[in-house]
DNA sequence: AGCACGCCGACT
DNA sequence: GTCGGCGTGCTC
């Protein structure tokens, strides 16, 4: 930092410097002070602060005098915004340039002793914001656990300096004043209870303007440490006299004496190291009452302290078993290690059951040996206890899990323990879903992206719409870390990158310990239908296979990618179908709740008894949902226990784990489920996997539909036959000759890849072209369409034929917002940054048109 | 994201 | 005349 010394002191001949900042003076000031302390010249500092809001740029605040030179980039600060709001902003830049067009407000306070975000993280945030056409505020919101944000509560009090004059007050205002005379402080919640109206602010504002009341903001950190009462010795138990004295006091209090003895045993107080004992454990262990403990405290023998404790479960540390790799696995491991030496990402293409995890474990070990951190990314649904336990078995408490089931307090603690740095209790491995990318890594050595093809690595709403797999490549580069992407069915993009030598391709083609890949049969549903041989949606082949599998005492997994009982209801007389009131989508019938539910907005309606259009009572449930499959199976196989795994059955806190446990313990014979059954689950007694309706996956109108169908069916097929026996997979389809099904059947990934790549090239899709999708949403359908057209024309001015649309998407309205989409296909060699800037300008241009101002316009880079 | 502000219809 | 509903735009 530059220090400015006033010239006069520097040059004065009688100045004696006794200390860099302390100057002894002889004569030249009058009256003469003995010393003058010279501080560096105070300059006014300003800080650019990231706020957790979607703002086009950072806001500048003034650094108060007492914080000058004390603020660091990455610290959170309390800043005011607007008239009464406060936010926990993040210091992004410190400078001395006063803003020209406004007077900056002051930073209110510093919230962190040390920065909570490293410079590397900020660099990463910048990349995300710029690449995905987002802004730092949105990245900040996505990156930081909300436990780091502030809770602000507005409270209302009477203005003590103002005489109470209710003469000119409205009824509402008098109600508030009366309430304030009864109770001194009211929260906004209290006020809205009194007024019984939604808009409380106008009333309060008038009272504030009249000077009758004051409002104050109470701010608190959202994160609260979990506390625990710990009992300590209040006297020195090595001092015989004191101990004697203490026990004398307890002569008639046997309970207390017992409790004390128990405490001494537990705390080993006679040793030199005195430990505390957790209060609840002490009381339970000694079978004593709180009263006994209280009297011991009152007598000055024990004391209780409230301490912060971790919420994170510790696992029993097991000896590092070390993995032994098969020959194939070892070859893969070697190939990946070599790739790392050249600082090249690796793509591990290994069929299900080939033991990718062992290879990962070996790589993690290497990284840990170098004292580096590891990030292991998985899609949310694959983050099951199975994989978590597996890693914890090898790495014990070094593994931290970070998934959506964690509450905000727990997330903050994971964050803190990772950022903690050197001591041994810190985490070294983060296992998490896409948002784990934003963890405060200080020394990242390895990134693993497992199931890299999964579309859930792409965040869709809200912004930043980032693809965690792609972003993790950038993150790894920033940390100079190694990265491996893994999948049994790699995405077309990644495989293409590998073939183009951007990644090192490493393949594991055989299943671990020689287990055979399952046999896949396609059941022709059209033919079965002709013969009227379909029973409750099951082809004769699948029905027979289930029967046989159950008879062998093996388990069955059935996959149907639709929850609920029936995806739509239709009138057989006129064809009418009940739709959501807020979305352009048919309502799904849920038999368990006996309701029609919208899967987009959650709207619920009663099941109609008659057709709303023609009055006919001939309503039919159409399509197949998991509930229906579950029910059919219970009917067809009354002796089997059937369970269902989908969003509806796994919403409870431990429901998901319990279901898996029941299946693992063979309490369940048949498991019916959505995508959830396809990932992260390894069971060793599954003899049969059935895909109820493959057509549905193949017909989905999306350029990735075939790729995804291949991936999904292959993945679920991989659940069959783990140990000794070869598993069987039956895929039901009305179009059994579909080329994708043939490819699945022959496990011919390469054929699928080549065919898809060609199709993508023909129709200008990634990886041949890059895409940016601009989505427009408005409550007014016409306005939305007009705005979309206006924007598309602006875009076409420079981008021409690359701009497609606007077009209404498959679901044209969600939650009463009409949607239009403009798709931009770009040659990879274009300067993407410039294109994005241009798109931004066009969006701003559209927004500046007053008739389009209310339209929400969201660019989505690399849409899924 | 809030929240103020301004315009407009409804109602004591 | 108020009240309060809703759309629009600003916050350093």
């Amino acid at each position: 930092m530059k220090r400015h010394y006033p010239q006069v002191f520097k040059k004065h001949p009688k100045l004696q410097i006794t200390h860099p900042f302390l100057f002894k003076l002889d004569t030249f000031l009058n009256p003469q002070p003995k010393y003058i302390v010279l501080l560096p010249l105070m300059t006014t500092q300003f800080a650019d602060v990231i706020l957790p809001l979607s703002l086009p740029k950072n806001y500048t605040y003034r650094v108060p005098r007492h914080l000058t030179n004390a603020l660091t980039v990455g610290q959170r600060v309390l800043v005011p915004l607007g008239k009464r709001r406060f936010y926990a902003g993040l210091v992004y830049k410190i400078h001395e340039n006063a803003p020209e067009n406004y007077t900056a407000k002051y930073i209110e306070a510093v919230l962190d002793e040390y920065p909570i975000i490293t410079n590397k993280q900020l660099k990463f945030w910048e990349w995300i914001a710029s690449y995905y056409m987002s802004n730092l505020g949105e990245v900040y919101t996505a990156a930081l656990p909300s436990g780091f944000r502030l809770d602000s509560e507005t409270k209302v009090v009477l203005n003590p300096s103002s005489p109470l004059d209710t003469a000119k007050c409205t009824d509402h205002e008098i109600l508030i004043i009366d309430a304030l005379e009864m109770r001194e402080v009211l929260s906004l919640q209290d006020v809205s209870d009194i007024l019984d109206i939604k808009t409380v602010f106008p009333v309060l504002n008038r009272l504030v303007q009249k000077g009758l009341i004051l409002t104050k903001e109470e701010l608190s950190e959202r994160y609260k440490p979990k506390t625990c009462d710990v009992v300590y010795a209040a006297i020195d138990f090595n001092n015989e006299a004191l101990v004697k004295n203490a026990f004398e006091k307890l002569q008639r209090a046997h309970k207390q004496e017992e409790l004390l003895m128990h405490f001494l045993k537990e705390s080993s107080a006679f040793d030199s190291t005195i430990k505390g004992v957790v209060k609840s454990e002490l009381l339970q262990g000694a079978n004593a009452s709180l009263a006994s403990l209280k009297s011991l405290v009152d007598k000055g023998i024990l004391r209780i302290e409230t301490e912060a404790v971790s919420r994170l479960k510790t696992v029993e540390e097991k000896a590092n078993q070390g993995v032994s790799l098969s020959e194939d696995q070892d070859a893969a491991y070697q190939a990946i290690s070599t790739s790392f030496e050249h600082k090249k990402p690796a793509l591990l293409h290994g069929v299900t059951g080939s033991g990718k995890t062992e290879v990962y474990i070996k790589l993690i070990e290497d990284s840990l040996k170098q004292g580096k951190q590891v990030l292991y990314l998985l899609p949310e649904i694959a983050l099951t206890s199975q994989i978590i336990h597996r890693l914890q078995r090898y790495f014990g408490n070094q593994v931290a899990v970070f998934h959506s089931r964690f509450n905000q307090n727990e997330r903050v603690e994971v964050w803190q323990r990772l950022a903690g740095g050197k001591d041994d209790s810190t985490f070294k491995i983060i296992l998490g879903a896409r948002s784990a990318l934003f963890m405060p890594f200080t020394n990242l050595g390895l990134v693993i992206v497992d199931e890299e093809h999964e579309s859930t690595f792409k965040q869709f709403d809200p912004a930043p719409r980032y693809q965690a797999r792609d972003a993790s490549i950038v993150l790894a580069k920033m940390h100079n870390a190694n990265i491996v992407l893994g999948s049994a069915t790699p995405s077309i993009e990644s495989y293409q990158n590998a073939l183009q030598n951007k990644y090192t391709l490493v393949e594991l083609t055989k299943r671990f310990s020689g287990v055979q890949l399952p046999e896949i049969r396609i059941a022709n549903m059209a033919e079965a239908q002709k013969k009227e041989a379909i029973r409750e949606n099951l082809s004769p082949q699948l029905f027979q296979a289930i029967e046989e599998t159950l008879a062998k005492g093996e388990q069955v997994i059935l996959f149907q990618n639709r929850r609920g009982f029936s995806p739509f209801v239709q009138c057989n007389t006129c064809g009418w179908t009940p739709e959501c009131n807020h979305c352009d989508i048919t309502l799904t019938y849920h038999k368990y709740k006996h309701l029609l539910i919208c899967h987009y907005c959650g709207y619920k309606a009663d099941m109609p008894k008659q057709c709303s259009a023609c009055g006919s009572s001939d309503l039919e449930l159409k399509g197949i949902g998991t509930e229906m499959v579950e029910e059919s199976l219970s009917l067809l196989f009354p002796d089997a226990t059937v369970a269902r795994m989908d969003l509806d059955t796994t919403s409870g806190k431990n429901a998901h784990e319990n279901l898996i446990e029941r299946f693992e313990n063979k309490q369940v014979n048949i498991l019916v489920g959505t995508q959830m059954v396809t990932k992260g689950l390894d069971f060793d007694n599954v003899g049969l996997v059935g895909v109820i309706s493959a057509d549905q996956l193949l017909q989905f109108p999306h350029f990735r539909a075939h790729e995804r169908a291949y991936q999904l069916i292959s993945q679920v097929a991989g659940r069959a036959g783990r140990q000794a026996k070869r598993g069987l997979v039956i895929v039901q389809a009305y179009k059994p000759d579909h080329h994708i099904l043939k490819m699945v059947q022959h496990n011919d990934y390469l054929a699928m890849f080549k065919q898809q790549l060609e199709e993508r090239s023909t129709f200008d899709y990634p990886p041949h072209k890059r895409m940016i999708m601009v989505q427009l949403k408005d409550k007014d359908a016409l306005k939305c369409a007009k705005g979309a057209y206006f924007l598309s024309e602006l875009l076409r001015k420079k981008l021409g034929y690359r701009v497609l649309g606007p077009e209404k998407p498959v679901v044209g309205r969600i939650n009463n917002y009409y949607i239009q989409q403009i798709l931009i296909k770009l040659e990879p060699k274009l300067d993407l940054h410039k294109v994005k800037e241009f798109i931004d300008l066009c969006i701003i241009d559209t927004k500046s048109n007053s008739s389009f101002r209310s339209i929400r316009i969201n660019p989505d880079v690399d849409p899924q």
Side-chain angles (χ1 to χ4, degrees):
Chain A
M1 192 153 318
K2 257 197 283 177
R3 295 209 163 89
H4 307 265
Y5 298 100
Q7 295 276 310
V8 55
F9 291 120
K10 239 183 187 171
K11 284 184 181 164
H12 202 281
K14 294 197 174 170
L15 206 61
Q16 265 183 14
I17 301 177
T18 56
H19 181 272
F21 294 115
L22 214 54
F23 296 77
K24 197 179 175 195
L25 292 176
D26 287 335
T27 51
F28 89 112
L29 283 176
N30 195 12
Q32 271 187 33
K34 233 182 177 171
Y35 294 100
I36 280 185
V37 179
L38 277 192
L39 289 175
L41 183 70
M42 282 292 189
T43 51
T44 308
Q45 289 187 327
F46 294 89
D48 292 349
V49 171
I50 308 173
L51 292 166
L53 302 172
S54 176
L55 299 168
K57 60 192 200 75
N58 296 322
Y59 281 2
T60 305
Y61 287 86
R62 194 167 161 171
V63 179
R65 271 286 129 88
H66 69 277
L67 289 178
T68 307
N69 297 329
L71 216 55
T72 319
V73 169
Q75 271 175 324
R76 286 176 312 149
V77 283
L78 180 64
V79 289
L81 184 73
K83 276 200 169 161
R84 68 154 68 89
R85 274 168 305 144
F86 287 89
Y87 283 95
L90 194 88
V91 178
Y92 178 70
K93 208 172 158 189
I94 298 165
H95 54 84
E96 290 170 10
N97 313 319
E100 283 170 19
N101 305 319
Y102 54 89
T103 32
K105 285 186 182 175
Y106 277 101
I107 286 173
E108 204 72 28
V110 192
L111 296 171
D112 303 302
E113 208 173 331
Y114 303 102
I116 59 161
I117 298 292
T118 63
N119 285 331
K120 261 191 189 144
Q121 277 176 290
L122 274 179
K123 278 262 170 316
F124 184 56
W125 288 15
E126 278 165 6
W127 181 82
I128 295 256
S130 129
Y131 185 87
Y132 292 104
M133 300 181 72
S134 171
N135 58 55
L136 285 172
E138 288 169 332
V139 182
Y140 175 56
T141 313
L144 223 61
S146 67
F148 278 117
R149 272 180 266 156
L150 293 176
D151 271 327
S152 113
E153 203 189 357
T154 307
K155 297 225 166 145
V156 184
V157 288
L158 282 173
N159 187 352
S161 59
S162 160
L164 263 185
D165 176 20
T166 53
K168 285 179 189 166
C169 286
T170 64
D171 292 352
H172 282 160
E173 294 168 11
I174 291 173
L175 273 174
I176 301 298
I177 290 177
D178 284 350
L180 277 170
E181 285 187 315
M182 305 262 288
R183 282 191 285 161
E184 276 172 31
V185 183
L186 292 179
S187 68
L188 280 189
Q189 186 56 51
D190 299 330
V191 178
S192 48
D193 285 349
I194 297 164
L195 289 180
D196 199 33
I197 52 165
K198 277 173 209 152
T199 49
V200 168
F201 288 104
V203 179
L204 290 182
N205 282 331
R206 263 176 280 132
L207 282 167
V208 172
Q209 269 166 25
K210 288 176 187 174
L212 293 174
I213 62 164
L214 297 173
T215 59
K216 58 172 183 178
E217 288 297 306
E218 281 184 9
L219 296 151
S220 54
E221 289 261 11
R222 230 177 256 188
Y223 168 73
K224 288 180 186 72
K226 187 179 169 185
T227 57
C228 174
D229 285 343
V230 184
V231 181
Y232 287 96
I235 58 170
D236 180 4
F237 277 91
N238 291 313
N239 183 325
E240 259 180 59
L242 285 175
V243 174
K244 206 175 154 199
N245 180 274
F247 274 96
E248 267 167 16
K249 282 188 203 164
L250 303 179
Q251 271 188 347
R252 282 214 237 130
H254 291 295
K255 286 274 183 203
Q256 291 174 40
E257 197 179 352
E258 251 173 62
L259 177 59
L260 184 59
M261 288 306 288
H262 191 82
F263 168 81
L264 293 174
K265 200 175 90 199
E266 291 289 312
S267 68
S268 38
F270 292 118
D271 295 344
S272 49
T273 51
I274 295 172
K275 291 186 299 187
V277 184
V278 174
K279 189 178 88 175
S280 54
E281 285 169 18
L282 176 68
L283 291 180
Q284 205 178 20
N287 197 16
S289 69
L290 193 59
S292 310
L293 180 59
K294 282 231 169 87
S295 2
L296 283 169
V297 173
D298 291 341
K299 284 169 188 154
I301 301 166
L302 297 179
R303 67 191 159 84
I304 300 176
E305 270 178 40
T306 305
E307 292 176 359
V309 290
S310 172
R311 287 181 173 83
L312 306 173
K313 274 184 229 153
T314 52
V315 283
E316 269 175 62
E317 195 81 50
K318 295 223 174 93
N320 269 16
Q321 297 161 337
V323 272
S324 53
L325 300 184
S326 72
E327 213 173 289
D328 289 345
Q329 286 171 329
D330 192 58
Y333 162 71
Q334 298 294 347
I336 295 171
S337 304
T338 313
S339 177
F340 286 171
E341 280 166 27
H342 300 104
K343 285 293 156 203
K344 209 160 126 186
L347 174 66
L348 178 56
H349 174 208
V351 295
T352 40
S354 59
K356 290 191 288 293
T357 315
E358 281 77 19
V359 179
Y360 297 150
I361 287 171
K362 196 85 176 149
L363 294 168
I364 294 172
E365 275 179 355
D366 288 349
S367 187
L368 293 182
K369 266 183 215 152
Q370 294 169 28
K372 299 209 166 165
Q373 295 162 329
V374 178
L375 168 63
Y376 190 137
L377 288 182
L378 274 166
E380 189 70 51
I381 48 167
L383 266 172
T384 58
S385 50
Q386 285 191 340
I387 180 78
I388 297 168
H389 291 329
R390 208 154 154 204
L391 283 179
Q392 282 177 337
R393 207 158 53 228
Y394 287 104
F395 302 109
N397 282 325
Q398 297 180 91
V399 184
V401 186
F402 195 76
H403 58 34
S404 64
R405 291 280 156 89
F406 268 37
N407 66 36
Q408 290 307 322
N409 281 323
E410 288 168 322
R411 287 175 201 220
V412 171
E413 286 181 18
V414 175
W415 183 289
Q416 288 170 340
R417 290 261 299 270
L418 182 74
K422 290 125 221 143
D423 83 75
D424 282 345
S425 74
T426 59
F427 297 128
K428 299 284 157 49
I429 305 159
I430 293 283
L431 177 61
R434 59 166 184 262
S435 61
L437 268 182
F438 296 112
M439 292 271 100
F441 299 103
T442 48
N443 189 18
L444 188 63
L446 173 66
V447 182
I448 297 165
V449 185
D450 200 10
E451 313 275 9
E452 83 45 60
H453 63 279
E454 263 300 306
S455 59
T456 48
F457 278 125
K458 179 79 185 349
Q459 161 129 331
F460 179 64
D461 229 12
R465 297 174 175 81
Y466 62 99
Q467 160 58 281
R469 179 234 295 150
D470 301 346
S472 66
I473 301 260
V474 174
L475 181 75
K477 200 172 247 168
M478 284 179 176
H479 282 264
N480 203 17
N482 298 318
I483 177 161
V484 54
L485 311 180
S487 172
T489 50
S491 62
I492 303 294
E493 282 91 335
S494 294
Y495 204 78
Q496 173 75 341
N497 279 335
L499 292 188
Q500 290 177 342
N501 225 8
K502 286 180 197 155
Y503 303 160
T504 304
L505 182 62
V506 180
E507 312 216 51
L508 276 171
T509 49
K510 275 184 256 157
R511 277 189 150 185
F512 189 61
S513 65
V515 179
Q516 280 181 290
L517 284 167
E519 180 194 349
I520 300 176
R521 293 184 204 154
I522 316 289
N524 186 339
M525 294 298 275
E527 199 183 285
Q529 195 176 36
K530 240 182 264 167
K531 292 182 187 158
E532 293 185 0
I534 299 177
R535 284 163 76 184
E536 302 277 345
N537 301 316
L538 297 186
S539 59
Q541 293 97 314
L542 184 53
F543 179 86
Q544 196 192 339
I546 294 174
E547 224 171 20
E548 287 170 9
T549 308
L550 293 177
K552 279 188 277 183
E554 292 171 6
Q555 290 163 295
V556 179
I557 289 178
L558 294 179
F559 168 60
Q560 171 63 9
N561 208 14
R562 278 203 139 138
R563 65 192 172 94
F565 189 85
S566 159
F568 66 108
V569 180
Q570 197 169 38
C571 168
N572 276 334
T573 312
C574 72
W576 171 80
T577 288
E579 289 184 3
C580 176
N581 281 350
H582 314 294
C583 312
D584 288 348
I585 192 80
T586 59
L587 292 169
T588 301
Y589 174 60
H590 282 243
K591 192 166 193 177
Y592 183 69
K593 291 175 185 156
H594 193 58
L595 282 173
L596 291 169
I597 298 176
C598 171
H599 283 182
Y600 280 81
C601 73
Y603 169 80
K604 293 184 180 83
D606 286 329
M607 177 71 183
K609 293 191 174 63
Q610 298 169 328
C611 170
S612 297
C614 73
S616 159
S617 54
D618 188 10
L619 294 177
E620 198 180 319
L621 298 170
K622 297 268 177 97
I624 313 161
T626 45
E627 280 187 15
M628 184 188 280
V629 179
E630 182 192 21
E631 190 183 277
S632 315
L633 286 157
S634 304
L635 288 171
L636 294 172
F637 304 97
D639 296 333
T641 312
V642 184
R644 174 163 53 92
M645 184 155 90
D646 54 30
L647 211 70
D648 302 305
T649 60
T650 54
S651 51
K653 192 153 182 23
N654 295 317
H656 193 235
E657 282 198 14
N658 292 344
L659 205 53
I660 290 168
E661 207 178 289
R662 282 210 299 151
F663 194 74
E664 233 167 14
N665 298 336
K666 305 189 177 77
Q667 290 160 288
V668 170
N669 307 109
I670 306 174
L671 185 67
V672 178
T674 54
Q675 298 208 35
M676 277 185 190
V677 299
T678 65
K679 265 157 226 96
L681 304 176
D682 288 331
F683 303 111
D684 56 14
N685 190 40
V686 177
L688 172 70
V689 164
V691 178
I692 301 293
S693 167
D695 309 285
Q696 201 192 89
L697 297 170
L698 292 163
Q699 282 159 16
F700 194 71
H702 190 279
F703 77 95
R704 281 187 216 276
H706 287 179
E707 179 193 354
R708 278 197 202 145
Y710 181 92
Q711 287 161 344
L712 268 176
I713 300 172
S714 302
Q715 291 246 343
V716 72
R719 308 298 119 207
R722 282 257 154 178
Q723 304 263 314
K725 277 165 280 179
R726 188 177 187 198
L728 175 62
V729 180
I730 293 182
V731 180
Q732 302 194 139
Y734 280 84
K735 286 184 181 157
D737 297 326
H738 197 288
H739 59 273
I740 290 288
L741 294 181
K742 295 281 176 223
M743 291 160 183
V744 172
Q745 193 170 19
H746 300 119
N747 190 36
D748 197 349
Y749 173 82
L750 206 61
M752 188 279 290
F753 168 78
K754 281 181 182 158
Q755 187 268 330
Q756 283 297 302
L757 191 68
E758 201 181 307
E759 214 174 283
R760 301 270 186 98
S761 158
T762 311
F763 296 103
D764 281 342
Y765 279 113
H768 188 64
K769 292 280 169 74
R770 320 207 61 159
M771 302 204 299
I772 297 175
M773 167 90 85
V774 185
Q775 194 178 67
L776 296 91
K777 286 201 287 187
D778 198 274
K779 285 188 175 165
D780 182 339
L782 191 64
K783 192 204 269 186
C784 186
K786 280 184 176 169
Y789 178 74
F790 183 87
L791 174 59
S792 73
E793 287 299 302
L794 283 183
L795 290 166
R796 264 186 262 269
K797 274 186 189 163
K798 272 198 183 165
L799 296 169
Y801 64 92
R802 299 179 185 88
V803 182
L804 298 157
E807 202 173 56
K808 212 176 92 172
V810 182
V811 181
R813 181 185 53 140
I814 296 171
N815 246 324
N816 284 324
Y817 279 91
Y818 291 87
I819 303 165
Q820 291 281 337
Q821 288 175 340
I822 301 167
L823 186 62
I824 306 165
K825 289 179 177 172
L826 302 159
E827 310 78 295
K829 58 175 187 287
L830 281 184
D831 184 341
L832 256 138
H833 198 73
K834 276 195 178 145
V835 172
K836 286 172 190 169
E837 272 175 5
F838 173 66
I839 295 173
D840 257 334
L841 281 177
C842 293
I843 292 173
I844 291 167
D845 230 10
T846 309
K847 284 267 197 185
S848 68
N849 190 327
S850 64
S851 52
F852 300 140
R853 201 151 299 170
S854 70
I855 305 177
R856 293 190 209 174
I857 307 179
N858 294 317
D860 184 5
V861 180
D862 301 339
Q864 277 305 301

